[in-house]
Amino acid sequence: MAGREKMVFVTVGTTKFDALVEAVSSPSIRRQLESLGFTRLVLQIGRGQYEPESFIKPNFRMDVYRFKDSIADDIKGASLIISHAGAGSVLESLGAKKPLVVVINEHLMGNHQIELAYKLYTEGHLLYCTPSELLKTLQDLDVSKLKPFPPGQPEKFAAYVDQFFGLS
Amino acid sequence: MGQKSANMATSIVNENVRWVSLMCCSIAAIVVLILLRLYFTLKNVGKCSLPSEAKEPLKTMVIMGSGGHTTEMLRLLSGMSNMYSPRVYIIADTDKMSQEKVFRFEQEKNSKEGKEILCNGPGTCIPLCAAGLTMTFLGLKRVYLIYVESICRVLSLSLSGKILYHLADKMFVQWPELQKMYPKTLYIDRIV
C-alpha cells in the first residue's frame, strides 16, 4: 500500500484559514481527489478553528495536524500541494518541483503576500483560486501545463558584490 | 537720571545683540559643517572606497527577517565566499526556527571563522541600518549597506525598502517590473 500511496498535501502555514480546511475535507473534494488517484490527504491546519478528524478508510486516509517543525517531508512526499498564498510554502513547493494550487484567503485581499502567488500564476508556474473555486480547479487540473520554476541564482549576487568590493 | 538708564539699557541691548549674533554664527557654521558632511556621506553612497590591493575579509552583519525571509537570506549567502567573515547574524529572539537554520547553514559552510549570533526583536533592520549610517556619517567607520528586497515584492517596495531606497549602497530587487518602478534599484536576475 505504502508504495502505491499518492498523497496530496494541504498547508495553511501559520495562518487561520478555515474556508480552505473546510473545502478540502468536504466529501465532494475528497471524491474528486480519489478520482484523481489520490489515496491520502495530509492536512496542516495551523491556527484554524475548524478541525476535521483524521480517519483511515480502505482506499483513502486523511491525517490532520496543526504544526510541525518542518513540513519539508510532507512536501517531498506529496504528488500535489494545495497551499495558502504564503511565500514560504509557495517557494518551498515550487522549489521541490511539485504541482501547486494556491488558494487565496479572500479575507486577506490587499495583503502583499498574494502579490507573489498571483505573479507566479500569471507566469504559469502554479494554479490559483478561491476556496469556492477549488473543486472546479481540481476537476480541470492538468499538471502538465504548469511550467517549472527555475531556482534563483545567488551566485550572480555574490559575483556582483565581489566586484563591488574589488574581491574578484 | 532718565538719560543714564537709557544708556545702560542700550549697552545691555548691544551686549545681547553681540551674543545672539555670535551664537547664530556658530550655529550656522555647525549646520554648514553637518550639511557638508551629509552631502559627502550621501555622495559616497553606492561607491566602494576600499583600497583595491587590500583583500582582507569583510566583517558582515546579516540581518534576518522572520520566517520566510530566513530561507531567502540563506540562499543569498550560499553563493558568497568566506571573504565575508566573520558573519554576525541578527535574529529575532522568538525565532527559534531561523536560529536552527542558521546553525545548520554555518555547519555546512564549514567556516573556520568564528560566528556570532545576536538576538533581537523583529523589525530590527531599520534601526541597525540607521546605526550603520550614523557611523559612516560621523566618519567612525564606513559601513556599507546592501539591501535585497524579498522575492514577495513584485509591484512595490516594502516599507524598509522605501526607507532605505536612497541610503543603501546597493539595493537589489527580484522582479524586472519592480526595478522599472524604482530606477535606482538593481535587477540582475532572481537571486534567491
Side-chain angles (χ1 to χ4, degrees):
Chain A
M1 181 73 199
R4 286 181 286 112
E5 182 184 272
K6 191 173 168 191
M7 188 259 269
V8 51
F9 178 49
V10 179
T11 176
V12 307
T14 52
T15 68
K16 190 197 275 186
F17 195 178
D18 286 331
L20 174 59
V21 176
E22 274 174 55
V24 291
S25 52
S26 71
S28 55
I29 291 216
R30 200 180 71 223
R31 273 196 300 276
Q32 179 57 30
L33 289 172
E34 280 185 81
S35 78
L36 287 167
F38 287 98
T39 56
R40 188 177 170 204
L41 169 63
V42 177
L43 186 44
Q44 185 263 319
I45 64 166
R47 296 188 297 116
Q49 262 154 12
Y50 181 73
E51 186 174 359
E53 267 182 47
S54 303
F55 66 81
I56 302 179
K57 284 183 179 165
N59 296 318
F60 199 85
R61 115 177 226 199
M62 180 164 89
D63 298 292
V64 182
Y65 68 88
R66 285 195 180 270
F67 295 105
K68 249 187 212 175
D69 282 346
S70 167
I71 58 168
D73 286 341
D74 287 325
I75 286 180
K76 215 181 290 169
S79 305
L80 171 70
I81 297 169
I82 299 174
S83 167
H84 74 127
S89 318
V90 169
L91 292 173
E92 226 175 313
S93 304
L94 293 180
K97 300 186 172 63
K98 300 292 179 176
L100 173 65
V101 178
V102 167
V103 181
I104 48 160
N105 191 339
E106 287 144 301
H107 298 299
L108 295 178
M109 277 303 225
N111 184 316
H112 79 84
Q113 288 263 346
I114 293 172
E115 244 176 67
L116 176 69
Y118 186 73
K119 174 73 184 166
L120 295 170
Y121 161 69
T122 58
E123 299 209 334
H125 300 297
L126 50 83
L127 294 166
Y128 182 91
C129 65
T130 61
S132 56
E133 294 161 348
L134 182 60
L135 180 61
K136 175 91 174 64
T137 304
L138 291 174
Q139 281 163 349
D140 301 341
L141 188 71
D142 181 0
V143 296
S144 69
K145 282 194 183 143
L146 292 175
K147 288 190 212 146
F149 184 63
Q153 297 181 288
E155 57 284 353
K156 285 194 181 171
F157 170 73
Y160 190 101
V161 177
D162 279 352
Q163 201 182 14
F164 175 69
F165 286 118
L167 296 176
S168 57
Chain B
M1 187 73 183
Q3 184 72 39
K4 209 176 174 186
S5 68
N7 277 345
M8 235 163 87
T10 314
S11 85
I12 289 172
V13 168
N14 282 342
E15 189 83 344
N16 282 348
V17 167
R18 250 207 313 278
W19 272 110
V20 168
S21 54
L22 197 66
M23 257 165 66
C24 283
C25 284
S26 359
I27 290 172
I30 292 170
V31 168
V32 167
L33 284 175
I34 291 176
L35 287 177
L36 269 176
R37 181 66 204 161
L38 197 63
Y39 171 73
F40 284 110
T41 307
L42 290 177
K43 213 180 124 208
N44 284 329
V45 163
K47 294 185 188 133
C48 175
S49 59
L50 294 175
S52 55
E53 67 278 7
K55 303 222 166 172
E56 280 179 13
L58 295 170
K59 184 170 182 178
T60 306
M61 179 178 271
V62 185
I63 308 173
M64 311 294 253
S66 54
H69 295 293
T70 303
T71 316
E72 281 191 66
M73 185 62 89
L74 293 180
R75 271 155 91 159
L76 270 184
L77 291 179
S78 69
M80 296 179 85
S81 72
N82 271 336
M83 281 303 277
Y84 301 92
S85 60
R87 288 176 287 278
V88 178
Y89 293 88
I90 311 285
I91 306 173
D93 58 2
T94 47
D95 198 352
K96 290 283 175 290
M97 225 150 117
S98 296
Q99 208 168 320
E100 198 49 46
K101 281 183 185 162
V102 169
F103 274 124
R104 230 178 300 143
F105 172 79
E106 281 292 333
Q107 268 165 13
E108 277 165 25
K109 215 162 163 69
N110 207 6
S111 50
K112 283 168 258 130
E113 296 286 344
K115 65 187 179 295
E116 224 173 309
I117 296 191
L118 300 181
C119 294
N120 216 315
T124 37
C125 162
I126 293 299
L128 285 165
C129 292
L133 286 164
T134 308
M135 284 177 76
T136 305
F137 173 73
L138 295 176
L140 296 173
K141 187 183 172 85
R142 172 71 164 95
V143 178
Y144 295 92
L145 287 184
I146 296 181
Y147 184 89
V148 180
E149 189 54 278
S150 165
I151 192 171
C152 304
R153 291 300 183 150
V154 183
L155 299 170
S156 63
L157 290 180
S158 63
L159 183 59
S160 307
K162 283 178 188 155
I163 292 172
L164 294 175
Y165 182 57
H166 293 287
L167 300 172
D169 288 289
K170 296 288 167 197
M171 180 173 287
F172 293 86
V173 294
Q174 317 236 15
W175 296 100
E177 46 272 67
L178 187 55
Q179 196 282 326
K180 286 200 187 90
M181 293 168 72
Y182 299 92
K184 279 184 70 178
T185 58
L186 293 161
Y187 170 75
I188 55 164
D189 214 324
R190 194 153 41 78
I191 51 180
V192 303

